[in-house]
Amino acid sequence: MTGTDTATALERATLDKAARENFPVAPFFLPRAWRTDLMAVYGFARLVDDIGDGDLAPGGADARVLGVPPERADDRLALLDAFEADLGRVFEGTPHHPLLRRLQPTVRRRRLTPEPFLGLIAANRQDQLVARYETYDDLRAYCELSANPIGRLVLAVTGTATPERIRRSDAVCTGLQIVEHLQDVAEDLGRDRVYLPAQDMKRFHVQESDLAAPSAGASVRALVAFEARRAHDLLNEGAPLVGSVHGRLKLLLAGFVAGGKAAVRAIAAADFDVLPGPPKPGKLQLLREAGTTLRGEG
């Protein structure tokens, strides 16, 4: 396989995952220039998550491209360090990884800063070092790194960032992240990660062993319901962001908010039992939530 073939395969392995995401990454109704830049941002975010989760394509091609020696190809911290170094070349030089080469024109065209990208790397580095969160505030601080940069990048790419929109966007993104954690309790436990705050688990008399059960008992369901309400409140706090923009961007942002609210409803419809697998909303529920969000209703 030639270098060009390898680069193309690496890009495809990551970008093809966009269709499987819980949210629209770069839907068809957006202007082509926005779609191009949002897919470049997605490529970065997806790849850094894959590094952090150990979900890279087999064969070690990403490690080779990033200059990580073969004996450290499975060392996630080494890969994240190399990826961060390559991110620096996006802003000053020529990056090695094809997804970062794809990102470079977007960074220049939209005048993006390193901070949100560094936040996403820091979140995945934290995942290697921190597997439990004591308080809700601790979890929100993690979401500040793992989720909020995405919304800020969307606003930057579309040229609509203001302090108030950023504040609303942060609320939406943190709400979406908490909903995803609730959907993935069992999967995360399999990775030895628990994103339910320990303080809340104690309050509801939930042990980690309860999270490994085939289905949730009453205490786990009560805990999930409590965290789901928190997530829903954050989505409501951020929802006015949708009404602050116009046109096709309004549709995109409504999709984010509606996706989160529909997921909360799906969790509630499952009687807050998330352990057999992630409750997912149907398309009709998503459309209903989108319509409600666009009308500015609760």
Side-chain angles (χ1 to χ4, degrees):
M1 185 180 286
T2 67
T4 301
D5 290 339
T6 299
T8 301
L10 287 175
E11 286 186 277
R12 277 192 191 142
T14 300
L15 297 178
D16 284 353
K17 296 179 182 180
R20 304 198 295 272
E21 297 291 353
N22 287 333
F23 52 85
V25 174
F28 70 93
F29 56 77
L30 293 179
R32 179 176 295 179
W34 283 6
R35 294 202 311 270
T36 297
D37 290 337
L38 290 173
M39 281 302 295
V41 167
Y42 170 79
F44 175 92
R46 180 70 269 163
L47 182 58
V48 74
D49 277 355
D50 286 348
I51 292 173
D53 290 339
D55 288 340
L56 292 174
D62 291 283
R64 287 195 299 275
V65 167
L66 291 170
V68 176
E71 64 272 16
R72 301 194 69 188
D74 294 325
D75 184 334
R76 299 179 193 179
L77 286 172
L79 286 164
L80 289 168
D81 288 346
F83 194 57
E84 184 172 321
D86 210 26
L87 172 66
R89 298 182 191 101
V90 170
F91 294 89
E92 201 169 314
T94 302
H96 299 161
H97 199 285
L99 285 168
L100 292 181
R101 290 200 295 270
R102 174 188 282 259
L103 179 65
Q104 192 170 49
T106 293
V107 163
R108 291 174 175 170
R109 186 161 47 240
R110 305 297 180 182
R111 299 181 180 179
L112 305 181
T113 63
E115 284 73 24
F117 300 106
L118 290 170
L120 294 171
I121 294 174
N124 280 275
R125 191 177 281 120
Q126 186 166 312
D127 275 334
Q128 313 313 309
L129 305 171
V130 180
R132 307 291 188 275
Y133 291 87
E134 181 63 27
T135 69
Y136 179 60
D137 286 344
D138 293 338
L139 182 65
R140 287 197 61 166
Y142 168 72
C143 294
E144 180 73 26
L145 298 173
S146 67
N148 298 1
I150 297 296
R152 295 183 180 209
L153 284 166
V154 169
L155 294 176
V157 163
T158 57
T160 54
T162 66
E164 177 63 9
R165 284 178 180 147
I166 289 171
R167 186 180 75 80
R168 298 287 189 183
S169 172
D170 286 352
V172 170
C173 290
T174 294
L176 288 171
Q177 181 77 87
I178 291 173
V179 170
E180 186 174 332
H181 288 330
L182 294 177
Q183 290 176 311
D184 294 341
V185 167
E187 179 183 336
D188 288 334
L189 186 65
R191 298 179 187 269
D192 192 30
R193 297 177 187 167
V194 177
Y195 294 103
L196 296 165
Q199 199 173 75
D200 297 341
M201 290 177 65
K202 290 173 189 172
R203 174 182 173 182
F204 286 91
H205 308 289
V206 171
Q207 306 291 325
E208 281 194 24
S209 57
D210 298 326
L211 305 180
S215 62
S219 296
V220 172
R221 292 173 195 246
L223 171 61
V224 171
F226 176 72
E227 305 298 352
R229 282 194 296 273
R230 279 177 158 170
H232 196 265
D233 287 346
L234 284 166
L235 293 166
N236 279 338
E237 180 185 338
L241 172 68
V242 176
S244 77
V245 298
H246 304 283
R248 288 175 277 189
L249 179 58
K250 186 169 187 170
L251 290 176
L252 178 68
L253 299 183
F256 292 152
V257 174
K261 289 189 174 184
V264 170
R265 287 189 187 274
I267 291 170
D271 198 17
F272 302 102
D273 185 2
V274 297
L275 299 187
K280 300 278 189 178
K283 288 185 178 179
L284 183 58
Q285 183 63 59
L286 283 168
L287 288 172
R288 284 175 178 161
E289 290 291 349
T292 298
T293 301
L294 285 168
R295 290 192 299 271
E297 300 172 2

